[in-house]
Amino acid sequence: MNRNALSAAFPVTVPVLMGYLAIGMAFGFMLQAIGYNYIWAFFMSLTIYAGSGQYLGVQLLNTHAALGTVALMTLLINFRHLVYGLSMLEKFRGMGLRKFYMIFSLTDETYALLSSVQVPAGVEPRSFYFSIALLDHSYWILGSVIGAVAGALLPIDTTGIDFAMTALFVVIAVDQWKAYKKHLPALLGAAVTLVSLTVVGADNMLLPALAVIVGVLLLLRDRLDDTPEEKKHEEEESVC
């Protein structure tokens, strides 16, 4: 582990630390409430590491869902990661074996950081990205274990606690809106999602919406990328 990259990555990941402790604890509370202790919380967060997927996993475990149902629901919930992966092809290039961990650890929050963060001077970019992913993962594990332990020691009503994940998604969306001057991807995503929701209904809207969004973003990729003039202007602003 590159200590220089790790120390540079930590301040960048502090917002994720705060969020992951909160929603990780919520997951731990929920898991403990259905009879699974902190050991389960630790290994689920270590090997699955999918916030919304793990929240869903609590419900599936509680209802003893069939394996086919688990697979289908997981696909529906996490299909959006296809979009993340496509946009990270260049950043993950040349990372060697670390590339497999980067693919595994590409959560919504880690993606938000990797897609917008500026690598500090003197820090090796690939080690910096790897450190961000590793720190975020450790925060999620820590939060889920704390939540499971606290849930075993304290009588906690978990009704509505899963809204913590929705709240975090809203925060990420607002932060991305502020970070980028071009709002076309966000507006496009909102419009397509609304149309899909209206046409096919809430139960089946996710896959059609994501498929259309991916297709349109790929078609408009050249227009959405920053031009050399825009990049130069942004660099000049950052220096000032």
Side-chain angles (χ1 to χ4, degrees):
M1 173 58 66
N2 187 319
R3 292 186 177 180
N4 184 37
L6 194 64
S7 61
F10 176 72
V12 175
T13 62
V14 169
V16 177
L17 168 61
M18 299 295 102
Y20 272 11
L21 284 181
I23 64 174
M25 288 175 64
F27 163 71
F29 288 144
M30 294 168 60
L31 194 64
Q32 178 64 41
I34 64 171
Y36 294 87
N37 63 22
Y38 68 92
I39 296 177
W40 285 88
F42 173 81
F43 281 106
M44 284 184 70
S45 294
L46 178 68
T47 59
I48 300 175
Y49 188 36
S52 53
Q54 287 180 228
Y55 274 55
L56 173 66
V58 173
Q59 300 177 30
L60 296 175
L61 284 171
N62 195 36
T63 57
H64 306 287
L67 185 59
T69 301
V70 174
L72 177 61
M73 293 301 295
T74 301
L75 173 63
L76 292 174
I77 290 293
N78 292 316
F79 186 77
R80 66 188 184 280
H81 287 263
L82 172 64
V83 184
Y84 300 166
L86 289 173
S87 65
M88 288 288 117
L89 291 177
E90 286 300 320
K91 281 196 172 179
F92 291 174
R93 192 181 303 277
M95 295 193 73
L97 293 176
R98 293 180 298 181
K99 179 178 181 179
F100 296 101
Y101 178 75
M102 296 299 296
I103 295 171
F104 162 74
S105 63
L106 196 58
T107 61
D108 301 282
E109 295 75 24
T110 299
Y111 170 77
L113 290 181
L114 293 179
S115 63
S116 59
V117 71
Q118 295 293 326
V119 181
V123 179
E124 202 280 312
R126 294 180 181 85
S127 295
F128 181 66
Y129 299 145
F130 181 74
S131 297
I132 288 176
L134 192 63
L135 285 171
D136 287 352
H137 193 183
S138 66
Y139 301 153
W140 178 257
I141 294 173
L142 179 62
S144 63
V145 171
I146 291 175
V149 172
L153 298 176
L154 302 171
I156 298 174
D157 183 5
T158 61
T159 303
I161 200 170
D162 54 344
F163 184 76
M165 179 64 69
T166 303
L168 185 59
F169 280 143
V170 172
V171 171
I172 293 172
V174 171
D175 183 66
Q176 289 291 293
W177 179 275
K178 292 181 177 179
Y180 290 95
K181 294 180 179 179
K182 293 182 177 179
H183 299 314
L184 180 59
L187 295 173
L188 172 66
V192 172
T193 300
L194 182 60
V195 171
S196 181
L197 180 63
T198 304
V199 174
V200 301
D203 294 335
N204 303 303
M205 53 79 63
L206 184 59
L207 285 180
L210 286 173
V212 173
I213 290 171
V214 170
V216 175
L217 288 178
L218 287 175
L219 290 174
L220 299 178
R221 183 176 179 181
D222 292 338
R223 293 184 60 184
L224 295 176
D225 287 340
D226 288 341
T227 63
E229 291 78 12
E230 288 173 325
K231 290 182 178 180
K232 181 179 179 181
H233 180 66
E234 289 177 357
E235 290 174 357
E236 291 174 349
E237 286 184 341
S238 64
V239 171
C240 295

